[in-house]
Amino acid sequence: SQLSFLITDVLSDVYARSSASGSTEYLEIGRPVAVKNSQTSNASDVWTVGYTPDLVTAAWIGRNNSELNAPLSPVLTSSLWRAITQNAHNDLAYTSFKEPENISVVEVCDPSGGIPTQYCPAVVKEVFLAGQEPRNYDTLHKPVQINAQTAKLATIFTPDEHIVEEVYMNLPANALDWAIATGVKIPPED
């Protein structure tokens, strides 16, 4: 039951859904719901499957020959799934997912999942199996001393009044292209 609850927590996370797809309106039904939509690699089949504490519903749309038509979008099944699920719950009482024993809710640094430090820009609550909580502090975010006049790294020659401390993500070299493309602030190298 604990592992099922962890999966439900992930699938019912509105923030994660909006981060992944940009819009969650087709996946919200006015009550707790765990839901996932997806598609085949050629987008000839799309589906949405979700559940509440009371019911499981699914919607699927597919094509026999994907070469003749434009790709399908999961939004198609999401809106169909939403209509089916809301209608199926019309006469049911509002219920929430029940948290089983041996679950811990812990504040962690987002997105590293480590124990927050003073440099962590965002703290979120996450669920863990009891005894499996994070044990290490966040190392993804680090302070860097910058020369405010030059916007370059401060050195031993930078006067104290020109030194400012800024927090950057401590990214590996192979993630720098991704960071630049997504607008993540990169510390100066000079």
Side-chain angles (χ1 to χ4, degrees), residues 77-98:
T77 53
S78 295
S79 24
L80 177 60
W81 173 86
R82 181 180 189 225
I84 292 167
T85 305
Q86 283 181 317
N87 187 56
H89 284 81
N90 277 344
D91 297 327
L92 298 178
Y94 183 98
T95 55
S96 296
F97 294 110
K98 290 181 176 50

Side-chain angles (χ1 to χ4, degrees), residues 116-132:
T117 67
Q118 65 189 29
Y119 305 112
C120 179
V123 176
V124 296
K125 290 185 178 182
E126 294 289 349
V127 297
F128 297 89
L129 296 174
Q132 299 298 313

Side-chain angles (χ1 to χ4, degrees), residues 170-187:
N170 186 21
L171 297 170
N174 62 355
L176 290 180
D177 290 340
W178 164 84
I180 292 167
T182 57
V184 172
K185 190 170 75 168
I186 305 295

Side-chain angles (χ1 to χ4, degrees), residues 38-39 43 46 61 71-78:
S38 194
Q39 64 189 32
V46 292
I61 297 174
L72 295 171
S73 167
V75 170
L76 295 170
T77 53
S78 295

Side-chain angles (χ1 to χ4, degrees), residues 27-45:
L27 301 177
E28 301 305 320
I29 62 166
R31 63 174 64 222
V33 62
V35 60
K36 179 72 176 111
N37 58 9
S38 194
Q39 64 189 32
T40 54
S41 61
N42 64 359
S44 64
D45 293 272

